[in-house]
Amino acid sequence: SQKIEQNSEALNIQEGKTATLTCNYTNYSPAYLQWYRQDPGRGPVFLLLIRENEKEKRKERLKVTFDTTLKQSLFHITASQPADSATYLCALGAGTASKLTFGTGTRLQVTL
Amino acid sequence: ETGVTQSPTHLIKTRGQQVTLRCSSQSGHNTVSWYQQALGQGPQFIFQYYREEENGRGNFPPRFSGLQFPNYSSELNVNALELDDSALYLCASSFPSGRTQETQYFGPGTRLLVL
């Protein structure tokens, strides 16, 4: 069955450092992968989309990589700030998708 | 804010009851997806509506049903509520090119508690 794994343990980093979050998947051939941010009690907010034929995407302090051979995506936040503290979800979609399949999310805590 | 609204924000029901949740999609979006998010888990796809027709369904029983209206707003109905239905129900709208799903814009969710 399809499985998406994100580090279930919280990631604690110091302000100014780069946070790196991992998303691994099995039994899936996604056409694209998305990263969302979710704050407690709120809906997910879209951050970045990367397609299967793309290796890397950047947006301001965010960078995502996508390796379809390793079946892995890495999500980086550079110069992290306490305001970046949230849960980050990765989601996979197929070409003519009728759904997104989400991982369980990784909670990021950025401290001063 | 995404422009997607959901009502109510919170709801308490008892086992066996029925519930209707509502969603207004972002202006110009013709596709609405519903997700269930249990505590500590990622959202799980329930179903999607595209131009008033169901366009895919996840692994949820038939007592989960939905509707989409001509203005693209949507309802999620759950019959015969069970304790495990307690969760955050998320609505997301999108405007896919063709029938390909792209970025989804989520509402704030409805928190349902079944006692």
Side-chain angles (χ1 to χ4, degrees), chain B residues 18-83:
Chain B
Q18 178 266 342
V19 68
T20 297
L21 311 181
R22 296 178 174 82
C23 170
S24 290
S25 59
Q26 185 162 317
S27 177
H29 287 183
N30 58 11
T31 301
V32 173
S33 304
W34 286 93
Y35 293 81
Q36 179 195 66
Q37 187 175 24
L39 206 59
Q41 301 297 313
Q44 281 202 314
F45 176 77
I46 304 175
F47 44 58
Q48 183 184 82
Y49 279 84
Y50 171 67
R51 291 186 176 179
E52 302 179 58
E53 292 194 5
E54 189 176 290
N55 180 37
R57 189 179 181 93
N59 190 25
F60 280 81
R63 58 190 186 83
F64 285 79
S65 63
L67 277 175
Q68 188 178 31
F69 301 98
N71 66 355
Y72 303 132
S73 65
S74 177
E75 285 183 356
L76 164 65
N77 299 290
V78 187
N79 293 322
L81 284 167
E82 301 177 0
L83 298 180

